[in-house]
Amino acid sequence: MGSTEDYSVDYSDYYDSNFTTEETFQANPTPTVQLVQFLAVIIYSVTCLLGLVGNGLVITMIIFEMKKSVSIIWFLNLAAADFLFNVFLPLNIAYTALGYHWLFGRGMCKVNSLLLNLNMYTSVFLLTIISLDRYILVVCPVWSQNHRNTKSAWLACLAVWALGFVMSSPSLVFRDTGLVRDHLICFNNFSMSSSPLDRPLGDQVHMAVTLTRFVVGFVLPLSVITVCYVVIIVRLKRNRLAKSKKPMKIIIAIILTFFLCWCPYHVLQLLETQHHSIPESVLKFGLPIVTAVAASNSCMNPVLYVFLGQDFQKFKMTVLSRLASALSEDTVHSMIPRRSFTKPSSMTEKETILS
């Protein structure tokens, strides 16, 4: 366990998504504060359980049971990012359950925040690559057939992890611990000091970090993904290639779920930079909940694989079979009419969505 600060933090100078205002640290917190804290603990706990089990199954099946195709590599890295985050999620559960009292030292305070941001960046970058991959398959099938391979996929994933770590590195610099009414909190100390004189610089750094995270981790990926899938859908409808919509539903559901989980988080993070201009209750009650909801995205993908991989209402397949079916590239075959297999380009068309 790392060392802790020997100074007390004036919370009015710092806002952060992992705890609420000074009212949280009172000996007798209000019922509303207790309710927010309870809901956050429930969301974190369910996320941790489902995330470890679900992503663990996905990783195990891919490593030991499935052929390593390009799409499987994308799914493996998505599951790895989510699983890594869920391994450390019990720290957040304990922190929240103890009324935002951090017991794990300054080093783990930094690592815990790093993993949340790393999970966000790696997931959204991988979803963007998946979208570009499918776009190229549809628009440039011949080029894709000649250049698309597992080695390139692994190199792309390595680049994603490296870029994600770089973008998440502000957590290692600015995350800190400090005392507030006998509670040791884990917070963002953007001014790198407890002195009010350094507050203007801290505000500028806070704004820069938040805007960068919003643009790079949300706006740009969402724009690229939207353009890719609009082109894909238009092209498939025009060429009448799609026979079944199930494989497309899996990918679209993963993307929509990601952005629905993370959108409230980014909105309140932006509002946090202007905290003097908005009601205190918005941040006090909103930030803990939207952070928990954002974290819950790390358990969503395996659930979507199971429910959308096959016809869920028939209940004829085991969970493992559903996972394998959803992850397998063979599901793409149902999206292409059989008559197209006789054409010279059938093998590239056959892979246009999920291969």
Side-chain angles (χ1 to χ4, degrees):
M1 181 176 296
S3 62
T4 60
E5 294 294 339
D6 57 2
Y7 60 81
S8 294
V9 177
D10 178 3
Y11 180 77
S12 63
D13 288 338
Y14 304 97
Y15 282 77
D16 177 70
S17 59
N18 283 350
F19 59 90
T20 56
T21 61
E22 285 189 9
E23 187 175 349
T24 304
F25 307 111
Q26 294 176 356
N28 298 305
T30 66
T32 304
V33 169
Q34 289 180 321
L35 177 61
V36 169
Q37 182 179 326
F38 175 76
L39 290 176
V41 169
I42 293 298
I43 295 172
Y44 282 136
S45 300
V46 173
T47 297
C48 184
L49 177 62
L50 292 180
L52 289 175
V53 174
N55 289 298
L57 282 174
V58 170
I59 293 171
T60 301
M61 289 183 60
I62 289 176
I63 291 177
F64 296 106
E65 301 292 338
M66 305 187 74
K67 180 181 178 180
K68 304 304 182 291
S69 63
V70 173
S71 288
I72 293 300
I73 292 171
W74 304 144
F75 287 123
L76 174 60
N77 280 270
L78 274 174
D82 291 336
F83 186 83
L84 177 63
F85 173 70
N86 279 280
V87 167
F88 288 86
L89 197 53
L91 301 183
N92 263 6
I93 296 174
Y95 182 48
T96 308
L98 293 173
Y100 305 99
H101 182 56
W102 186 258
L103 299 177
F104 311 104
R106 187 191 303 173
M108 287 308 301
C109 170
K110 294 176 180 289
V111 170
N112 191 54
S113 178
L114 171 75
L115 289 175
L116 175 65
N117 287 286
L118 181 63
N119 175 259
M120 179 196 71
Y121 280 117
T122 53
S123 295
V124 74
F125 291 160
L126 284 168
L127 292 176
T128 305
I129 286 180
I130 290 172
S131 303
L132 289 169
D133 183 37
R134 278 137 187 81
Y135 172 86
I136 294 172
L137 281 166
V138 171
V139 176
C140 308
V142 176
W143 185 93
S144 178
Q145 187 178 34
N146 293 330
H147 296 86
R148 184 175 182 267
N149 53 63
T150 56
K151 181 180 179 180
S152 298
W154 280 115
L155 289 175
C157 290
L158 180 62
V160 163
W161 282 95
L163 181 58
F165 181 82
V166 170
M167 295 302 301
S168 305
S169 60
S171 296
L172 298 178
V173 178
F174 300 113
R175 206 66 175 171
D176 204 350
T177 55
L179 290 173
V180 175
R181 299 190 179 185
D182 297 325
H183 278 70
L184 186 67
I185 60 173
C186 177
F187 70 109
N188 286 318
N189 187 359
F190 290 108
S191 65
M192 303 291 290
S193 169
S194 59
S195 173
L197 297 176
D198 296 324
R199 178 62 187 272
L201 177 61
D203 286 343
Q204 294 177 10
V205 175
H206 186 187
M207 177 67 74
V209 170
T210 303
L211 286 178
T212 301
R213 181 170 53 209
F214 177 64
V215 173
V216 178
F218 192 79
V219 175
L220 288 180
L222 179 60
S223 301
V224 172
I225 289 170
T226 301
V227 170
C228 287
Y229 277 98
V230 167
V231 173
I232 289 171
I233 292 171
V234 169
R235 186 66 66 93
L236 290 178
K237 285 187 175 181
R238 187 171 63 188
N239 296 337
R240 297 181 180 180
L241 291 176
K243 181 180 178 182
S244 171
K245 296 181 180 179
K246 286 183 180 179
M248 176 74 88
K249 283 183 178 180
I250 295 174
I251 301 300
I252 292 179
I254 291 172
I255 292 169
L256 287 178
T257 301
F258 177 89
F259 285 105
L260 288 175
C261 287
W262 282 96
C263 183
Y265 174 85
H266 286 291
V267 169
L268 261 71
Q269 287 288 314
L270 289 172
L271 291 177
E272 184 187 31
T273 63
Q274 305 296 325
H275 58 85
H276 293 303
S277 304
I278 63 175
E280 183 181 286
S281 58
V282 173
L283 297 178
K284 180 169 62 174
F285 303 134
L287 280 171
I289 296 300
V290 299
T291 304
V293 170
S296 71
N297 181 251
S298 63
C299 76
M300 297 292 188
N301 292 350
V303 176
L304 294 174
Y305 299 151
V306 172
F307 290 150
L308 297 181
Q310 291 290 335
D311 185 355
F312 176 64
Q313 296 182 358
K314 292 180 180 179
F315 289 99
K316 291 183 179 180
M317 300 176 65
T318 65
V319 170
L320 294 179
S321 296
R322 291 178 187 276
L323 283 171
S325 178
L327 294 169
S328 175
E329 292 192 22
D330 292 339
T331 57
V332 72
H333 295 179
S334 66
M335 299 192 66
I336 308 301
R338 291 178 183 273
R339 58 182 174 83
S340 70
F341 293 167
T342 60
K343 298 180 181 180
S345 61
S346 63
M347 291 307 295
T348 55
E349 289 177 349
K350 185 172 62 174
E351 297 178 335
T352 53
I353 298 300
L354 203 58
S355 65

